[in-house]
């Protein structure tokens, strides 16, 4: 029987700072790589690798890390690191979503950042040296305030974090040719938040349109205008990730997963999985056993 996946919660005492955020180099603070074979965290993680060798299994997908790459991990993603920590050199940023709650009035800000809760495009990527220097300058300022805090450090840190997240989002959107339309309303961001919170209980776009108090047609239009994909596409990708997590990290059978995730029969789940991945469930699990966890 598979053990429950442990959750690593942000701790001020463990991170050594008085904020729900930290920036440090690998030489300053040992990482938690290897703390457990598999785990999830309740905070956002950004890694700027200078040198890297190995890979991470993130929600069942294998991600090779290499010199110069950036890796973004959203809360509650299943992680399993396969790296030689002695060969890694990196700077990391971690923070709780509510860190900026008192600074930014927009409750859906984090869902505007297209690298967060991303299921279609890479979350490990390269950027230009000039772009990297700009982003690292924000992190350096944050680190200085964390190490020598004064009365207004919180506000300066929040401002630098805001600029960092927005700048990285612009770089990410441009690199992967994502939508840059100015949203007419907040419904698309609310929809992404609802998907994260309700994917195990609500399985149709109509369910979410009712939660939002708008028509399915209106929801689909605002999602398409904002993210360049349909509301159905976002739901299917999020549902697919939940299925993969259940297949890999639990002992649930396809029959049990189908029942829990709104499929009327196991063969409907299997058909959905094949349509979305091009693989049967058996082929997918066989690949994971043979290639995902070398």
């Amino acid at each position: 029987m598979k053990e429950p996946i442990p959750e690593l919660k942000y701790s001020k005492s463990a991170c050594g700072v008085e904020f729900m955020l930290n920036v440090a180099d690998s030489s300053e603070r040992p990482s938690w790589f290897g703390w457990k074979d598999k785990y999830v965290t309740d905070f956002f993680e950004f890694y700027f690798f200078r040198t890297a060798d190995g890979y991470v299994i993130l929600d069942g997908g294998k991600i090779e890390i290499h010199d110069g790459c950036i890796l973004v991990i959203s809360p509650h993603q299943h992680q399993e690191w396969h790296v030689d920590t002695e060969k890694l050199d990196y700077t990391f940023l971690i923070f709780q979503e509510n860190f900026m709650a008192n600074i930014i009035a927009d409750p859906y800000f984090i869902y505007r950042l297209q690298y967060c809760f991303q299921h279609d495009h890479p979350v490990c990527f390269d950027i230009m040296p000039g772009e990297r220097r700009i982003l690292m300058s924000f992190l350096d300022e944050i680190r200085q305030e964390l190490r020598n805090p004064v009365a207004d450090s919180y506000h300066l840190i929040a401002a630098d974090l805001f600029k960092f997240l927005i700048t990285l989002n612009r770089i990410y959107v441009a690199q992967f040719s994502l939508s840059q339309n100015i949203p007419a309303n907040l419904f698309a961001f609310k929809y992404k938040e609802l998907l994260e919170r309700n994917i195990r209980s609500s399985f149709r776009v109509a369910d979410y349109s009712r939660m939002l108090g708008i028509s399915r047609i209106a929801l689909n239009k605002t999602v398409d205008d904002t993210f360049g994909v349909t509301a159905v596409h976002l739901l299917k990708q999020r549902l697919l990730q939940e299925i993969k997590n259940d297949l890999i990290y639990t002992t649930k059978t396809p029959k049990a997963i189908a029942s829990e995730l709104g499929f009327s029969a196991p063969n409907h789940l299997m058909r959905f999985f094949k349509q979305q991945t091009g693989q049967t469930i058996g082929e997918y699990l066989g690949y994971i056993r043979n290639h995902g966890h070398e």
Side-chain angles (χ1 to χ4, degrees):
M1 182 175 180
K2 294 181 181 178
E3 295 292 327
I5 303 299
E7 181 179 36
L8 182 60
K9 295 181 178 294
Y10 190 98
S11 166
K12 292 181 181 180
S13 59
C15 288
V17 295
E18 291 302 312
F19 300 93
M20 299 302 285
L21 167 150
N22 199 10
V23 173
D25 287 340
S26 51
S27 58
E28 295 178 80
R29 298 190 65 83
S31 72
W32 43 78
F33 302 151
W35 177 73
K36 289 287 187 181
D37 287 343
K38 304 178 182 68
Y39 63 91
V40 299
T41 68
D42 70 346
F43 46 85
F44 289 93
E45 305 168 62
F46 295 75
Y47 297 93
F48 284 70
F49 290 101
R50 286 176 286 275
T51 60
D53 181 23
Y55 65 93
V56 58
I57 304 295
L58 190 62
D59 277 346
K62 182 177 180 180
I63 299 176
E64 301 281 354
I65 57 174
H66 55 272
D67 293 359
C69 72
I70 298 173
L71 175 64
V72 180
I73 301 178
S74 297
H76 306 114
Q77 288 193 287
H78 294 70
Q79 304 181 39
E80 180 180 347
W81 290 81
H82 296 260
V83 292
D84 182 348
T85 56
E86 294 183 357
K87 295 181 179 179
L88 297 182
D89 180 25
Y90 58 90
T91 296
F92 70 83
L93 159 70
I94 58 175
F95 69 93
Q96 281 270 358
E97 181 179 349
N98 62 4
F99 173 78
M100 295 189 299
N102 294 327
I103 300 294
I104 299 175
D106 181 1
Y108 305 103
F109 169 72
I110 209 70
Y111 296 95
R112 297 177 183 271
L113 306 174
Q114 301 223 36
Y115 45 76
C116 293
F117 305 108
Q118 177 60 249
H119 302 289
D120 283 322
H121 301 284
V123 292
C124 184
F125 52 96
D126 299 312
I127 61 175
M128 300 296 291
E131 296 171 332
R132 190 183 186 94
R133 283 194 294 272
I134 292 172
L135 293 170
M136 289 303 300
S137 70
F138 296 139
L139 297 186
D140 288 341
E141 289 183 6
I142 292 173
R143 178 162 40 190
Q144 290 173 15
E145 292 297 320
L146 289 172
R147 303 303 181 263
N148 300 285
V150 294
D152 58 359
S153 287
Y154 175 88
H155 297 84
L156 189 56
I157 290 170
D160 279 326
L161 177 62
F162 182 76
K163 289 187 291 184
F164 169 88
L165 295 172
I166 289 293
T167 302
L168 181 58
N169 192 60
R170 288 187 174 186
I171 294 169
Y172 189 85
V173 164
Q175 182 169 153
F176 295 104
S177 302
L178 304 180
S179 173
Q180 300 188 63
N181 295 332
I182 299 175
N185 52 58
L186 296 176
F187 287 123
F189 307 121
K190 292 180 181 179
Y191 177 58
K192 286 195 74 173
E193 181 194 38
L194 288 173
L195 283 176
E196 291 300 319
R197 297 182 184 276
N198 299 283
I199 194 61
R200 298 197 70 89
S201 60
S202 299
F203 317 110
R204 300 180 302 164
V205 172
D207 298 332
Y208 293 93
S209 66
R210 280 195 294 271
M211 293 180 201
L212 293 167
I214 61 176
S215 71
R216 177 172 172 165
I217 293 174
L219 175 58
N220 193 65
K221 183 178 187 306
T222 190
V223 170
D224 188 27
D225 289 345
T226 303
F227 298 120
V229 296
T230 66
V232 170
H233 176 82
L234 287 184
L235 187 148
K236 286 183 176 180
Q237 289 301 301
R238 187 60 187 84
L239 184 59
L240 176 64
Q241 190 57 67
E242 206 69 13
I243 294 169
K244 287 181 176 179
N245 288 343
D246 278 357
L247 289 170
I248 297 171
Y249 300 110
T250 76
T251 57
K252 296 175 185 176
T253 64
K255 181 179 180 180
I257 297 171
S259 176
E260 290 182 14
L261 295 180
F263 293 91
S264 58
N267 64 306
H268 294 166
L269 166 70
M270 295 174 184
R271 186 181 306 118
F272 172 82
F273 193 90
K274 179 69 179 291
Q275 290 172 342
Q276 298 302 310
T277 66
Q279 295 176 300
T280 66
I281 287 176
E283 290 169 342
Y284 172 73
L285 291 175
Y287 181 83
I288 291 294
R289 284 193 297 269
N290 295 327
H291 300 280
H293 298 75
E294 296 107 329

